[in-house]
Structures are given as structure tokens and as C-alpha cells.
Amino acid sequence: MTSSKNNLNAHTGMGAVVLAALALPGVWHDAHAETAPEDGVIALKFLHYQDSQPGLQRVAVEAPSIYVLLPLSPHWSAEGSGVIDSVSGATPRWHTAISSASKMHEKRVAGDVKVTHYGERSSMALGVSRSTEHDYRSNGASFDASLSSEDNNTTGNFGLGLSSDTINPANHLVHNQHKHSVEM
């Protein structure tokens, strides 16, 4: 998440950002055996975080999310998630001058979809994701695979993630800057 016109410094908002990120579906996920799930899952989460000090409610985070897992056949499944996080409050410009706090509000909408094929001792998955906020847009794609030995005592995993981001910060220091990432 990015901050509004005034930078969200590490001491005031990073805990909120980390909590919001951990609340995202897909950040925490269960390991699956090499068989497709038999039952579907619908999970709803709601995160609320409040940071305050006497006389000042500094940061509030709310993040409702949904996760859906659908078995499609004995060898296929699809899953997806969506979240809308909202961060708002006052961000002090200086540690000693709380009265100079400014207001900020951020809203991010994110989602992802993944389709997985399950073999006898293997699985392969393709996924896409998108995240948007007023000054940052991210699109991603992923591929992951796993292969277990015949005795199922050893499993090898491989993953590849690609993302393409566009940055338009509110302070206008840059315009339509791009960031591309590759993860393995």
C-alpha cells in the first residue's frame, strides 16, 4: 500500500500495512496433497486495526475479504480471492509535533484467480492478480508446480511470479513510472 500526499512513516503506519497485508487471502494458505480438493470453501474475513494516542486517533485499517475454492473435477480446482482495504487517519509529520498531523485516506481493491491441475504425484497452477489504488496499479501472473517422489517422502516445488506495476504518486515526483518484477 502507498501513502497519500504525506508519507506514511515507518513508526506510524507500517504495523497497519503489515496487518493489512497478512489479512489478504492467499498470503496464508494451506498446503494441499497432490489430489484436487473434494469440497468447496467460501471464507470471509474482516480485519480492523486501530492505532491511537491520547487525543488523536492516528490510523484505522479495515479490510473485508473473501476467498473461494471450487473443485472442478477429480483433477482440477479453481480458487480466487478479493479484498478491499481502507487505511485512514492522521499521520504526524514530525514525531514531536502531533498537532501538525495531516489526514490521509487510502483504499485498495485487489483480487486473484488461480486454476490448478492435479496429477498422480504432481500439481501445476496458473494464476493472475490485480491490485489498484489511486496512485498505484499492479498486475501479476504466476506459475507453480510440485512433484513428489514415488514414496511421497520428498516433494520438489517450483514457482515463478511476474508483476508489472504503474506508479503515479500523489506528490507528482514521477508520472506513469513502471516497475517490473520477476520472482522464482
Side-chain angles (χ1 to χ4, degrees), residues 13-138:
M14 288 309 293
V17 171
V18 170
L19 283 174
L22 290 175
L24 292 174
V27 173
W28 296 104
H29 63 296
D30 298 327
H32 295 287
E34 299 304 332
T35 59
E38 294 179 7
D39 299 321
V41 174
I42 297 177
L44 302 172
K45 291 183 186 177
F46 182 79
L47 167 80
H48 176 79
Y49 170 81
Q50 181 72 49
D51 183 2
S52 61
Q53 43 187 147
L56 181 63
Q57 288 189 345
R58 291 185 26 196
V59 177
V61 179
E62 292 186 347
S65 64
I66 186 169
Y67 169 79
V68 177
L69 171 66
L70 299 171
L72 302 175
S73 76
H75 297 286
W76 290 92
S77 71
E79 59 189 305
S81 63
V83 65
I84 300 172
D85 15 67
S86 176
V87 179
S88 61
T91 58
R93 293 183 186 160
W94 301 281
H95 293 290
T96 58
I98 299 300
S99 63
S100 67
S102 62
K103 295 288 183 183
M104 61 103 178
H105 180 78
E106 282 288 326
K107 181 177 179 182
R108 181 177 68 105
V109 178
D112 63 84
V113 176
K114 181 166 80 169
V115 176
T116 305
H117 177 266
Y118 297 88
E120 187 176 326
R121 292 184 334 272
S122 64
S123 66
M124 290 186 285
L126 289 172
V128 294
S129 63
R130 181 166 176 88
S131 176
T132 60
E133 49 190 290
H134 79 283
D135 57 356
Y136 201 96
R137 185 175 56 248
S138 179

Side-chain angles (χ1 to χ4, degrees), residues 1-2 7 12 41 49 53 55 81 85 108 111 116 119-120 122-123 141 144 152 154-155 167 172 179 181:
M1 295 171 58
T2 61
N7 290 331
T12 62
V41 174
Y49 170 81
Q53 43 187 147
S81 63
D85 15 67
R108 181 177 68 105
T116 305
E120 187 176 326
S122 64
S123 66
D144 59 81
N152 286 322
T154 304
T155 301
I167 306 159
H172 304 291
K179 179 180 87 169
S181 302

